[in-house]
């Protein structure tokens, strides 16, 4: 088509001499000469313009007359209807002399409306009004029957003389209706023919003037077009143009591009020499239909269709032909087409290589985007396998060292055996080692050679790869039978250390791998190896952090009778956080429930969590109230934060100090059935009542730990037996896609659905299944405890008078209770402990004094008084008369201690039951001698 576009340049070349006379033509003579092309076009266009202008003038005149007539009809109807609906017309028609009332009104309305007459008549057509009074009382000339039926009548009719001329051209008759809808009279209004003509006659000069202007404009345009045509043809006649056409044909057949021209029926009108050569057409092919040329079906369909084609490629006799097709006359409904053919066989080879290179670049870019998005070794290996299938290979396998999969540093000693980490492609029909199975390597295999050299190894034809076949004859034989024929093995190595290998297979009709593919696969494997190594390092750090955190969390439940407990701890997918919890048995059958969250992630957060948990256990050993325990924790976090932020210590940690922590601390007393709780920036405690009702405990919210100087408020809850306490961290109810209010609502709904009959273990699992996201971004700690009430048969209490003589009666009551509980084995030790504690309370304490025995997993003896002075254990000298009481208590009790209350203090001592140390033999121990002294009635 380029040659065709250039061919008309012959027509723009102006000859130096006239073709016939040898002299230049005169411009006017050339324009008016009917023998020239320009002269003929000029005369024909002038004739056409004159006819068009005349037709336009006539149509304008006729249209104006018609519009004027329509205007008169509208004016007549409007005037008649306006007068018929005017107030007082109906009353005037019913009056004895309607003419007296209506005649002046009709004339005034006629002049205002610009019509020639307004006639009011009765239902018989007798006029009541008329422009000429002598016509009043005569019969109306026109049709009134439709108007008597309630319709409007418009007609052209003649009538009596009128001011505007004799006769009417247009008149309208409308009914005048009464209140009941009956026709009481008629009103007619009209415009005469002469009056109507006045509406369109003024337009006639304008129309004629516009026609003349159009004629002049068209004539001027025709002159310009003719001059343009004369310049284009250079005044040439038909002979000269024929000669130019012959030159054009010569050029058409000389170009190295095929050209075909077809008509609207699909017959071949023209084919140049190059077109015949490219399509293999005979010499006398013109005039035949394209379906008779014996061309391939695709190109025949294209030639026969009327659709345009742009740079479509067809294969004809081993050539790749780029085809373009355009209509010869785009503005005609049915026209021919011109088709250009260009041989692009060699260009296709070059462009194919360029396309392959571009595809590889795109694949490298996609691999950089997809591989390494997940910090997981197996997922990264699977991404590598999937990114190359099917765009570069049919099957891809990735084998890694076990040390890499476990997050350890790889070593060369373990190259002999890899583990299949990922497969992508036709793996179901391909006899490969499955994922997770060990893949043994032999010295001569492509995989071992790739690991030793650190370079990709090509096996272009696996049928001749003996080492590959001998690795596993059965599997390799099956692979060859399925069409596997080519392999490239690429080592995965990062920082110079091999991690594994990636195997790329081709099968079936896919072409074999070539040497130029190796550099691409090495680049792809290098990028993937870095991502695998990053995932390995993250796996190692994550495993270390999880191991550390799990070692710091409770591994079992302490022995206690107050609560039935179950818990869950789920580390975050991307990194370990500082979530923690604890369950601590306290004296008096009480249990402390603790849960907290350290800000941050990683080893530093886990270590900080361990320090806080140890601190909570130590504070619990002091039996402090919950608000005081949180206060000490707050001071500890502040000191830790200052220590971490001081000097250059922060450079060795992941974050800038502790930056705060949250905690909820609760103590449950099974004897009173009460739970006292306080929280520092932590989510509220949730209570599930025995009837299944779920409520929030509304523990007062206090600032997180680490801010310093803020008091912590407590709340005491009285809980019936079988209530459930739910403690959790914010990771359970809040994440990137879920607001905390939505999470809390979901937690309450899940607890309600779980019901009151579920055990804490079942409730824990139900909450985890419903609330934990698929990929948690934060640690989750969950602790659920079902409350119990200490059984009354295991509780004994006595009030003691502040008199030393009351000690004997207390021992007697204690002895009776122990025999009732069948605990005679510890009767001696218990009486000794009670005697000493009561004696100390009488001597050094203040009323009221009270003794309480708790019989459960162990026996607890409690003596309370109103003094806040704490006793201390000391070792008395041989010459001292006193100071041995608490020493004896410590010797016979498993543990003892003091806790303070709002009314004083409680000294307690705990002894094991069932399997504990046997009772010390009477009379043979110094303790027995001391104990016998308490039997003295004088004491």
């Amino acid at each position: 088509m380029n040659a065709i576009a250039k061919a008309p340049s012959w027509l723009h070349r102006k000859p130096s001499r006239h073709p016939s006379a040898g002299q230049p033509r005169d411009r006017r003579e050339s324009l008016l000469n009917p023998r020239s092309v320009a002269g003929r076009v000029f005369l024909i266009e002038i004739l056409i313009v004159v006819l068009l202008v005349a037709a336009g003038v006539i149509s304008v005149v006729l249209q104006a007359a018609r519009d004027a007539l329509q205007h008169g009809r509208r004016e007549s109807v409007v005037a008649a209807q306006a007068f018929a609906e005017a107030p007082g017309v109906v009353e005037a028609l019913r009056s004895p002399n309607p003419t007296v009332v209506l005649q002046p009104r009709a004339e005034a309305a006629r002049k205002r409306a610009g019509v020639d007459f307004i006639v009011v008549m009765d239902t018989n057509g007798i006029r009541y009004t008329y422009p000429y009074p002598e016509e009043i009382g005569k019969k109306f000339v026109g049709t009134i029957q439709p108007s008597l039926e309630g319709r409007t009548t418009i007609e052209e009719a003649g009538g009596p003389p009128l001011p505007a001329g004799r006769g009417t051209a247009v008149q309208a008759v409308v009914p005048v209706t009464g209140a009941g809808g009956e026709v009481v009279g008629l009103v007619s209004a009209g415009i005469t023919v002469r009056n109507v003509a006045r509406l369109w006659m003024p337009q006639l000069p304008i129309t004629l003037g516009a026609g003349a202007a159009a004629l002049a404009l068209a004539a001027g345009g025709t002159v310009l077009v003719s001059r343009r045509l004369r310049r284009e043809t250079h005044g040439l006649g038909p002979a000269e143009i024929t000669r130019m056409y012959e030159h054009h044909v010569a050029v058409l057949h000389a170009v190295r591009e095929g050209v075909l021209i077809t008509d609207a029926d699909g017959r071949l009108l023209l084919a140049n020499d190059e077109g015949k050569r490219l399509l293999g057409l005979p010499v006398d092919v013109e005039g035949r239909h394209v379906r008779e040329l014996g061309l391939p079906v695709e190109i025949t369909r294209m030639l026969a269709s009327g659709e345009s084609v742009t740079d479509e490629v067809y294969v004809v006799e081993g050539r790749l032909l780029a085809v373009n097709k355009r209509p010869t006359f785009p503005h005609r409904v049915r026209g021919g087409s011109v088709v250009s053919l260009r041989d692009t066989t060699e260009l296709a080879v070059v462009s194919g290589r360029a396309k392959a290179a571009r595809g590889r670049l795109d694949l490298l870019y996609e691999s950089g985007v997809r591989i390494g998005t997940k910090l997981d070794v197996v997922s990264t290996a699977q991404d590598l396998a999937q990114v190359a299938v099917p765009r570069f290979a049919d099957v891809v396998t990735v084998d890694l060292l076990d040390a890499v999969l476990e997050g350890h540093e790889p070593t060369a000693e373990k190259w002999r055996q890899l583990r299949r980490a990922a497969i992508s492609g036709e793996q179901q029909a391909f006899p490969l080692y499955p994922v997770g199975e060990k893949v043994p390597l032999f010295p001569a295999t492509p995989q071992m050679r790739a690991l030793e050299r650190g370079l990709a190894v090509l096996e272009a034809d696996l049928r001749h790869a003996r080492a590959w076949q001998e690795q596993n004859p059965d599997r390799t034989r099956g692979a060859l039978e399925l069409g596997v024929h080519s392999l490239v093995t690429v080592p995965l190595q990062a920082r110079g250390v091999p991690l594994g290998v990636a195997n790329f297979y081709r099968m079936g009709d896919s072409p074999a791998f070539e040497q130029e593919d190796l550099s691409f696969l090495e680049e792809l494997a290098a990028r993937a190896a870095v991502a695998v190594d990053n995932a390995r390092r993250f796996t190692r750090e994550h495993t270390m952090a999880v191991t550390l955190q799990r070692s710091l969390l409770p591994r079992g439940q302490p022995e206690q009778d107050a609560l039935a407990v179950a818990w869950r701890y789920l580390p975050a997918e991307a990194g370990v956080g500082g979530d923690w919890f604890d369950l601590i048995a306290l004296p008096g059958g009480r249990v402390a429930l603790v849960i907290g969250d350290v800000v941050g992630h990683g080893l530093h957060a886990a270590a900080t969590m361990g320090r806080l948990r140890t601190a909570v256990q130590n504070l619990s050993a002091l039996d402090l109230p919950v608000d005081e325990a949180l206060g000490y924790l707050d001071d500890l976090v502040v000191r830790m934060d200052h220590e971490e932020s001081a000097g250059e210590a922060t450079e060795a940690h992941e974050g800038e100090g502790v930056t705060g922590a949250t905690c909820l601390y609760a103590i449950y007393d099974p004897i009173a059935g009460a739970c006292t709780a306080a929280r520092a920036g932590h989510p509220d405690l949730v209570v599930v009542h025995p009837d299944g009702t779920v409520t929030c405990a509304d523990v007062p919210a206090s600032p997180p730990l680490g801010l310093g100087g803020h008091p912590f408020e407590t709340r005491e809850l009285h809980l019936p037996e079988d209530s459930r306490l739910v403690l959790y961290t914010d990771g359970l109810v809040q994440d990137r896609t879920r607001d905390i209010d939505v999470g809390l609502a979901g937690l309450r709904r899940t607890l309600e659905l779980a019901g009151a009959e579920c055990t804490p273990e079942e409730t824990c699992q139900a909450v985890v299944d419903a609330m934990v996201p698929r990929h948690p971004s934060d640690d989750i700690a969950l602790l659920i405890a079902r409350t119990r009430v200490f059984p009354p048969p295991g509780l004994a209490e006595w009030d003691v008078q502040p008199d030393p003589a009351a000690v004997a009666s207390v021992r007697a009551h204690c002895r009776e209770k122990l025999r009732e509980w069948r605990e005679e084995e510890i009767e001696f030790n218990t009486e000794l402990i009670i005697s000493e504690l009561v004696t100390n309370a009488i001597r050094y304490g203040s009323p009221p004094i009270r003794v309480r025995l708790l019989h459960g997993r162990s026996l607890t003896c409690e003596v309370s008084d109103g003094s806040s002075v704490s006793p201390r254990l000391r070792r008395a000298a041989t010459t001292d008369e006193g100071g041995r009481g608490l020493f004896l208590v410590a010797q016979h009790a498993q543990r003892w201690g003091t806790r303070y209350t709002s009314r004083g203090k409680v000294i307690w001592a705990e002894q094991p039951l069932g399997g504990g140390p046997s009772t010390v033999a009477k009379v043979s121990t110094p303790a027995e001698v001391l104990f016998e002294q308490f039997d003295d009635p004088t004491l």
Side-chain angles (χ1 to χ4, degrees):
M1 290 303 296
N2 296 333
I4 298 177
K6 295 178 181 179
S9 62
W10 287 85
L11 300 178
H12 296 279
R13 185 179 300 170
K14 186 173 181 179
S16 58
R17 298 178 59 87
H18 192 277
S20 58
Q23 297 294 331
R25 293 175 180 263
D26 182 74
R27 291 180 177 269
R28 184 178 301 173
E29 178 185 356
S30 176
L31 182 61
L32 300 178
N33 186 4
R35 294 185 178 182
S36 66
V37 177
R40 292 175 182 178
V41 171
F42 177 74
L43 295 177
I44 291 173
E45 289 187 353
I46 287 295
L47 179 60
I48 292 174
V49 168
V50 170
L51 293 176
L52 291 177
V53 171
V57 171
I58 294 173
S59 63
V60 169
V61 171
L62 294 178
Q63 181 65 32
R66 181 175 177 275
D67 293 344
L69 188 59
Q70 291 293 335
H71 178 75
R73 295 166 66 92
R74 288 194 300 270
E75 292 294 329
S76 301
V77 172
V78 171
Q81 287 182 344
F83 193 84
E85 296 174 359
V89 174
V90 177
E91 291 77 5
L93 288 172
R94 291 177 176 173
S95 64
N97 191 357
T99 301
V100 175
V101 179
L102 296 176
Q103 175 65 12
R105 295 177 62 182
E107 286 302 302
R110 176 180 68 82
K111 295 177 181 178
R112 287 196 306 270
V115 296
D116 293 328
F117 67 89
I118 294 180
V119 178
V120 184
M121 65 196 83
D122 60 8
T123 55
N124 296 321
I126 304 302
R127 301 189 186 98
Y128 289 149
T129 65
Y130 202 79
Y132 297 131
E134 60 269 16
E135 297 296 332
I136 296 175
K138 296 182 180 180
K139 186 73 172 181
F140 175 74
V141 179
T143 304
I144 64 173
Q145 187 60 36
S147 300
L148 294 176
E149 297 175 359
R151 300 194 300 271
T152 299
T153 303
I154 302 174
E155 62 180 351
E156 298 179 10
L162 291 171
R166 185 176 181 79
T168 61
V170 179
Q171 64 182 13
V173 182
V174 298
V176 179
T177 59
E182 72 281 1
V183 178
V184 299
L186 303 173
V187 176
S188 175
I191 300 177
T192 62
V193 176
R194 180 179 176 184
N195 196 6
V196 171
R198 287 200 305 268
L199 299 175
W200 61 267
M201 284 300 291
Q203 301 181 14
L204 186 58
I206 299 175
T207 303
L208 294 177
L215 178 60
L217 182 61
T222 302
V223 172
L224 294 177
V225 171
S226 299
R227 288 183 177 179
R228 178 64 179 175
L229 183 59
R230 180 179 59 81
R231 286 194 301 268
E232 293 292 334
T233 60
H234 303 289
L236 299 177
E240 290 83 359
I241 294 178
T242 301
R243 187 179 303 111
M244 298 300 295
Y245 173 75
E246 292 175 352
H247 294 167
H248 171 72
V249 171
V251 174
L252 178 65
H253 289 283
V255 297
R256 296 295 295 172
E257 186 171 337
V259 178
L260 305 179
I261 298 178
T262 60
D263 62 7
D265 297 327
R267 293 190 176 276
L268 188 61
L269 300 180
L270 174 64
N272 69 347
D273 295 340
E274 183 66 10
K276 293 177 182 179
R277 185 185 71 83
L278 294 177
L279 297 178
L281 301 177
V283 178
D284 56 345
V285 73
E286 285 83 356
R288 296 168 59 181
H289 199 280
V290 294
R291 294 190 177 90
E292 302 173 1
L293 303 180
L295 298 175
V297 178
E298 293 80 5
I299 196 168
T300 300
R301 185 183 301 111
M302 182 272 300
L303 293 174
S305 67
E307 298 179 356
S308 298
V309 172
T310 301
D311 290 335
E312 290 191 4
V313 179
Y314 294 87
V315 181
V316 181
E317 296 186 355
R319 298 187 181 92
L320 296 177
L321 302 182
V323 180
N324 287 274
K325 180 182 178 183
R326 294 292 184 272
T328 53
F329 301 100
H331 302 293
R332 292 188 180 180
V333 178
R334 286 178 57 81
S337 301
V338 57
V339 181
S340 65
L341 310 171
R342 187 172 62 257
D343 191 353
T344 61
T345 305
E346 296 181 358
L347 180 62
V349 175
V350 177
S351 62
R353 295 179 179 175
K355 183 178 180 181
R358 178 58 183 269
R360 293 177 182 179
L361 290 176
D362 292 342
L363 187 58
L364 285 177
Y365 172 76
E366 183 178 349
S367 67
V369 174
R370 291 181 55 181
I371 299 176
T373 57
K374 303 175 183 176
L375 292 175
D376 179 75
V377 175
V378 176
S379 298
T380 304
Q382 189 64 37
D383 291 339
L384 170 61
Q386 292 177 349
V387 76
V389 176
R391 295 167 57 181
F392 192 79
D394 297 317
V395 177
V396 177
T397 64
V398 180
D399 304 331
L400 300 175
L401 296 172
D402 285 338
V404 176
L405 293 172
E406 296 170 0
H408 304 311
E409 192 73 22
T411 57
E413 290 76 9
K414 298 184 179 181
W415 287 4
R416 299 286 180 180
Q417 186 167 269
L418 302 178
R419 190 175 296 277
R420 182 63 37 92
I423 303 176
S424 179
E426 300 292 337
Q427 50 183 328
Q428 297 179 353
F430 195 67
L432 296 172
Y433 291 93
V435 173
E437 186 173 339
K438 292 184 177 180
V439 182
L441 300 181
F442 298 101
T445 58
Q447 291 81 3
M448 182 58 72
R449 285 183 287 156
L451 286 173
E452 292 175 347
R453 299 175 185 175
L455 300 173
V457 174
L458 169 64
E459 292 289 351
D461 191 351
L462 291 176
R463 292 173 298 179
H464 302 95
R466 298 301 178 188
W468 176 77
Q469 296 179 17
E470 292 173 358
Q471 180 180 2
N472 193 318
D474 294 335
R475 294 179 185 269
T476 55
R477 188 183 309 110
L480 292 174
E481 292 175 355
L482 290 173
V484 177
H485 58 79
S486 187
L487 164 68
V488 174
T489 298
V490 188
L492 300 174
Q493 51 187 358
R495 298 173 290 108
V497 178
L499 309 175
V501 294
N503 305 301
F504 299 84
Y505 295 91
R506 282 186 180 174
M507 57 189 300
D509 299 333
S510 300
F513 288 110
E514 300 176 354
Q515 285 293 334
E516 61 183 11
D517 296 326
L518 299 185
S519 59
F520 164 73
L521 290 178
E522 288 175 348
E523 176 66 21
L524 179 63
R527 299 188 179 192
V530 173
V532 170
D533 191 54
N534 290 337
R536 178 193 64 80
R537 292 184 173 189
F538 174 80
T539 301
R540 180 185 62 184
E541 294 180 4
H542 184 72
T543 302
M544 292 174 58
V546 170
T547 302
L548 173 62
Q549 188 168 31
R550 289 191 182 278
S551 66
L552 297 175
L553 291 174
R555 299 187 179 183
Q557 297 188 19
E559 294 185 358
Q560 47 87 25
D561 300 317
L563 299 169
V565 183
W567 61 64
R568 293 288 188 277
Y569 170 73
L570 302 173
E573 187 178 64
V576 176
D579 293 14
W580 59 282
F581 61 92
D582 210 344
L583 186 71
I584 306 171
L586 300 178
R590 297 167 302 127
V591 177
L593 300 169
V594 192
I595 193 166
D597 184 3
V598 176
V599 176
H601 292 82
L603 293 175
H604 184 52
T608 303
M609 175 270 292
R611 297 174 67 181
L612 290 181
R613 180 169 178 255
T614 302
V616 169
Q617 291 178 337
N618 294 332
L619 293 173
S620 299
L622 299 176
D623 213 347
L624 297 176
V626 293
D627 53 343
E628 293 186 21
L630 288 181
Y632 282 114
L633 277 180
D634 185 38
D635 295 339
L636 174 63
V637 173
V638 171
R639 290 197 304 272
M640 292 168 58
D641 206 3
H642 289 168
E643 291 173 2
E644 296 290 344
S645 302
E648 299 179 355
T650 56
E651 297 179 359
H653 299 290
E654 301 174 6
E656 295 292 335
V658 179
T659 68
T662 66
C663 183
L664 188 150
Y665 189 19
I667 295 179
Y668 175 69
D669 187 353
I671 298 175
C675 177
T676 305
R679 61 188 177 115
H682 202 81
D684 198 5
L685 175 69
V686 176
V687 180
V688 183
H689 297 275
D691 59 355
T693 305
V694 180
T695 60
C696 288
D698 291 333
V699 178
S702 300
L705 302 175
L707 298 182
H710 297 276
F712 297 95
E713 301 181 24
T714 63
R715 177 176 175 81
E716 184 174 353
L717 305 173
H718 293 277
L719 304 173
E721 190 173 8
D722 291 333
S723 298
R724 278 173 292 175
L725 302 175
V726 182
L727 293 79
Y728 53 91
T729 56
D730 57 355
L732 182 68
V733 296
Q734 184 180 18
D735 56 23
R736 299 186 184 96
T737 61
R738 180 174 57 187
D739 187 71
I740 188 171
D741 293 333
V742 177
L744 289 174
L747 176 61
R748 288 194 294 267
R749 183 167 55 253
T750 302
L751 294 173
E752 291 174 354
L753 294 176
E757 301 300 327
C758 292
T759 63
E761 184 67 29
E762 293 171 345
T763 306
C764 258
Q765 191 60 43
V767 172
V768 169
D769 294 340
M771 298 295 298
V772 176
R774 184 175 182 181
H775 301 287
S777 58
D778 192 8
D779 286 17
I780 296 174
L782 175 65
L783 179 65
I784 298 180
R786 183 190 292 273
T787 62
R788 299 170 181 165
V789 176
F790 200 88
L795 175 65
E797 294 181 282
W798 303 282
D799 292 328
V800 180
Q801 296 297 325
D803 185 0
V807 176
S809 62
V810 172
R811 287 201 311 272
H813 289 306
C814 177
R815 186 183 308 112
E816 293 176 1
K817 204 63 180 177
L818 291 177
R819 291 174 180 176
E820 179 183 341
W821 291 335
R822 298 181 180 180
E823 300 291 351
E824 291 85 354
E825 294 181 357
I826 60 173
E827 179 179 324
F828 174 77
N829 291 345
T830 304
E831 291 183 20
L832 177 61
I833 292 172
I834 287 294
S835 297
E836 180 57 35
L837 294 182
V838 171
T839 300
N840 283 342
I842 293 174
R843 286 183 176 181
Y844 307 111
S846 59
I849 302 174
R850 190 172 181 83
V851 176
R852 185 169 72 173
L853 295 181
L854 302 177
H855 181 254
R857 294 178 182 269
S858 60
L859 181 67
T860 304
C861 305
E862 296 182 349
V863 177
S864 62
D865 64 82
S867 173
S868 60
V869 178
S870 175
R872 62 185 182 89
L873 179 65
R874 67 184 181 91
R875 297 184 180 274
T878 55
T879 58
D880 291 342
E881 296 183 0
R884 298 177 179 84
L886 286 183
F887 176 77
L888 292 175
V889 172
Q891 292 295 318
H892 289 81
Q894 185 179 30
R895 57 176 184 159
W896 72 280
T898 305
R899 73 173 182 271
Y900 296 93
T901 65
S902 58
R903 294 185 298 272
K905 66 177 181 297
V906 176
I907 303 177
W908 56 270
E910 187 176 291
Q911 302 176 78
L913 298 178
S918 59
T919 307
V920 181
K922 299 180 182 179
V923 214
S924 61
T925 62
E928 177 61 18
V929 176
L930 294 174
F931 181 74
E932 288 179 352
Q933 299 177 7
F934 289 102
D935 289 332
D936 188 348
T938 61
L939 295 179

